[in-house]
Amino acid sequence: MGANSSSITELPENEYLKKLSGAEPISENDPFWNQLLSFSFTTPTNSADLKLLEEATISVCKSLVEKNPRTGNLGSLIKVFLSRTKELKISAECQNHLFIWQAHNALFIICCLLKVFISRMSEEELQLHFTYEDKTPGSYGTECEDLIEELLCCLIQLIVEIPLLDITYSISLEAVTTLIVFLSCQLFHKEILRESLIHKYLMRGRCLPYTSRLVKTLLYNFIRQERSPPPGTHVFQQQTDGGGLLYGIASGVATGLWAVFTLGGVGSKATPQLEQCSPLANQSLLLLLVLANLTDAPDTPNPYRQAIMSFKNTQDSSAFSSSHPHVFQINFNSLYTALCEQQKSDQATLLLYMLLHQNGNVRTYVLARTDIENLVLPILEILYHVEERNSHHVYMALIILLILTEDDGFNRSIHEVILKNITWYAERVLTEISLGSLLILVVIRTIQYNMTRTRDKYLHTNCLAALANMSAQFRSLHQYAAQRIISLFSLLSKKHNKVLEQATQSLRGSLDSNDSPLPDYAQDLNVIEEVIRMMLEIINSCLTNSLHHNPNLVYALLYKRDLFEQFRTHPSFQDIMQNIDLVISFFSSRLEHAGAELSVERVLEIIKQGAVALPKDRLRKFPELKFKYVEEEQPEEFFIPYVWSLVYNAAVALYWNPRDIQLFTMDSG
């Protein structure tokens, strides 16, 4: 590739790439490496650019796969990279671009090669490509493992020790991405990997002491949301004084790897989309999720999951427990702010779920926040736009609500937060509504969507569980929220009657014809009756615990009182209907005595007065409605495929050919 080269199609003929993938071994001390690594290159930030790059260099990669067992050039390249990284921290502090530049370029090539190697061979075969060296037969096994472990450890050290500056942004991003690539063997297996060489290195040995620092750094990368520096920041541009040594190296190697071609070019204007995102924050979060969901070894629990489960607030002065070896401290206020701002992405919602479910310190902190609406509103917006979200994102948002509603303090406080003009709620103009009433509206809308579209029992169950947890603490329900509760019951009632009629007609038809099989309407009827029972329990819980706080619900109940007639004598609902029937009868009587032609305001006034006079001892006590989220016995069967689907779908700087990816049998949404 000469000075006039400008086409990516010329890369396969580049003399340095051909030598790297050729049949001759290259010593790690060969001057060749200085020339190979002296190229100016803007790292691609989307899969389209990477696809172009990979298609252009695939012949080179194939040649290296074939010849590397004899030449060991991959191992030499890795050793060159390792040697260049020893002074990286000092180089960053001294603004020494040269070391950072060449180390980044070496790592970029390693990452590109690793993607091809991992997609084409097993871990055992990959291990052999790290082994070649002139030595006696049979003595290379340990050396191979050491080189892989040394590279992994070096990448982790680079992430946690190199300060994040404009000149180090690209190499930090490349280190995070390379670790994801190292772990990506999972993408090419339908079954969950429980025995992995890479997992072993990351969870034991030299990498283990860095566990808490790595998790902390990845979290801070997510929190900081640092955008990519302007194009050209990390490469060598001509100085106004006519240029210097660095510019001379970059421009002088005319036959370097990408001396001219830079996939957009140094100094090219970034697109608005790229300006608004942080590749490092995104990749760091993906790596964190992958590490946290590695399966436990038989005798070793996942240390990264342990770190996520136990880290504490920087304001927490209590001593670290010896039972949590990977505990660390982080600024919870900064973390909370980032979580509130990033919930539009699946991975941020999954992180929030993990922290609330597994880290008691985070959960306690979040529930104590006085601005909880900043977190809850983005979650509600995910559920509101259920049609636009994949099912896994919706599940995570719903489970987060379920976890939050386990706390009575949360259930009380959300009715005290008054919101103005919720613009994304389109069914009705909501100029003023409590956060609690809005939560009820969105959850009920999700139930109704599920009834007509997906018909997922799991989603139904969790929606109703969240409403049930809140029901005893309902306060000052918005009139529209009260109406929607009764409207949902009306919809369920109609569905119940329809299925009951179908079952009756089917039974009659079966008496006339013994040939046709009888549809299983009994199961459908049972499911609907379970949901109706839950709705009645939710209404009853509100009436018995906070009737005087909810005149709008009583009003809606009276307005649709005929709905409940058919359930008064139904054996499945007789007990729970006693309280509802008592409330309906009591307030109906007071309204009758007040006369006809009553205004809405007058009816509400009578309800408020009656709520004080209603004898509470006549209401039957039922067990408190409390539902806790319980993770499945084998959560990895859901979460590991989910995490890797996020890595694949959001693969900034991570391209693979889709036909190569088996990715279990999971629908990635």
Side-chain angles (χ1 to χ4, degrees), residues 62-83:
K62 286 181 178 178
S63 177
L64 186 64
V65 169
E66 177 186 345
K67 293 169 183 171
N68 184 69
R70 293 185 294 278
T71 66
N73 286 342
L74 175 62
S76 295
L77 173 60
I78 290 169
K79 290 174 183 177
V80 169
F81 167 71
L82 294 174
S83 68

Side-chain angles (χ1 to χ4, degrees), residues 302-315:
N302 181 338
Y304 302 97
R305 189 182 303 127
Q306 286 186 316
I308 287 177
M309 292 171 63
S310 59
F311 70 81
K312 302 161 63 174
N313 195 353
T314 49
Q315 297 180 352

Side-chain angles (χ1 to χ4, degrees), residues 429-467:
V429 176
L430 300 175
T431 55
E432 185 173 291
I433 189 172
S434 72
L435 179 60
S437 290
L438 181 63
L439 195 158
I440 292 167
L441 285 175
V442 172
V443 171
I444 287 176
R445 184 179 183 274
T446 306
I447 293 173
Q448 291 179 324
Y449 174 83
N450 185 50
M451 287 176 63
T452 57
R453 304 284 185 86
T454 57
R455 300 183 182 181
D456 187 324
K457 184 179 178 181
Y458 180 79
L459 193 146
H460 257 3
T461 302
N462 284 283
C463 283
L464 291 168
L467 288 177

Side-chain angles (χ1 to χ4, degrees), residues 94-361:
C94 299
Q95 297 284 305
N96 187 335
H97 292 235
L98 179 60
F99 271 89
I100 299 170
W101 177 43
Q102 291 203 338
H104 168 268
N105 290 349
L107 184 54
F108 178 79
I109 297 173
I110 290 169
C111 187
C112 290
L113 294 174
L114 271 177
K115 285 190 290 184
V116 177
F117 276 58
I118 286 173
S119 67
R120 292 176 177 272
M121 62 188 68
S122 66
E123 275 194 332
E124 291 75 15
E125 293 173 303
L126 177 66
Q127 186 178 11
L128 293 175
H129 280 272
F130 282 76
T131 66
Y132 179 84
E133 215 176 297
D134 289 327
K135 60 185 106 168
T136 57
S139 65
Y140 60 82
T142 303
E143 182 69 25
C144 133
E145 294 186 2
D146 287 347
L147 186 56
I148 294 178
E149 185 173 31
E150 190 172 352
L151 178 56
L152 288 169
C153 197
C154 176
L155 292 173
I156 293 173
Q157 289 173 332
L158 194 159
I159 293 168
V160 302
E161 293 180 355
I162 303 300
L164 186 58
L165 309 169
D166 279 357
I167 61 171
T168 62
Y169 189 97
S170 290
I171 193 169
S172 296
L173 173 60
E174 208 63 51
V176 171
T177 302
T178 305
L179 276 179
I180 296 176
V181 171
F182 251 123
L183 289 159
S184 65
C185 292
Q186 181 64 84
L187 280 172
F188 304 92
H189 291 78
K190 288 186 177 181
E191 302 297 326
I192 292 174
L193 289 179
R194 303 185 187 280
E195 297 287 337
S196 168
L197 178 69
I198 307 302
H199 294 188
K200 183 182 75 172
Y201 284 133
L202 288 171
M203 294 199 286
R204 301 178 188 175
R206 293 174 56 191
C207 295
L208 185 61
Y210 293 96
T211 295
S212 58
R213 292 178 66 191
L214 178 58
V215 171
K216 182 176 182 178
T217 303
L218 295 176
L219 277 173
Y220 267 127
N221 286 347
F222 166 71
I223 289 169
R224 293 169 68 178
Q225 292 291 316
E226 291 282 353
R227 297 181 181 181
S228 296
T233 302
H234 62 291
V235 293
F236 307 101
Q237 303 181 63
Q238 190 166 12
Q239 307 292 323
T240 55
D241 61 359
L245 172 65
L246 300 182
Y247 177 74
I249 294 175
S251 60
V253 186
T255 54
L257 191 57
W258 286 285
V260 178
F261 180 77
T262 58
L263 288 183
V266 175
S268 63
K269 186 176 180 180
T271 64
Q273 183 178 5
L274 290 178
E275 289 176 352
Q276 295 171 2
C277 69
S278 171
L280 179 61
N282 186 59
Q283 294 293 84
S284 295
L285 179 52
L286 291 173
L287 176 58
L288 181 64
L289 294 174
V290 170
L291 290 171
N293 285 280
L294 297 179
T295 54
D296 295 334
D299 56 345
T300 310
N302 181 338
Y304 302 97
R305 189 182 303 127
Q306 286 186 316
I308 287 177
M309 292 171 63
S310 59
F311 70 81
K312 302 161 63 174
N313 195 353
T314 49
Q315 297 180 352
D316 187 345
S317 58
S318 60
F320 288 176
S321 171
S322 58
S323 60
H324 295 105
H326 304 293
V327 69
F328 61 90
Q329 290 180 303
I330 201 167
N331 188 309
F332 277 18
N333 182 59
S334 300
L335 177 60
Y336 180 81
T337 300
L339 288 169
C340 292
E341 293 174 349
Q342 301 299 321
Q343 287 306 304
K344 288 184 179 179
S345 73
D346 279 73
Q347 48 266 38
T349 304
L350 181 54
L351 175 64
L352 175 58
Y353 156 77
M354 288 173 56
L355 295 178
L356 288 176
H357 178 52
Q358 298 179 356
N359 190 312
N361 301 320

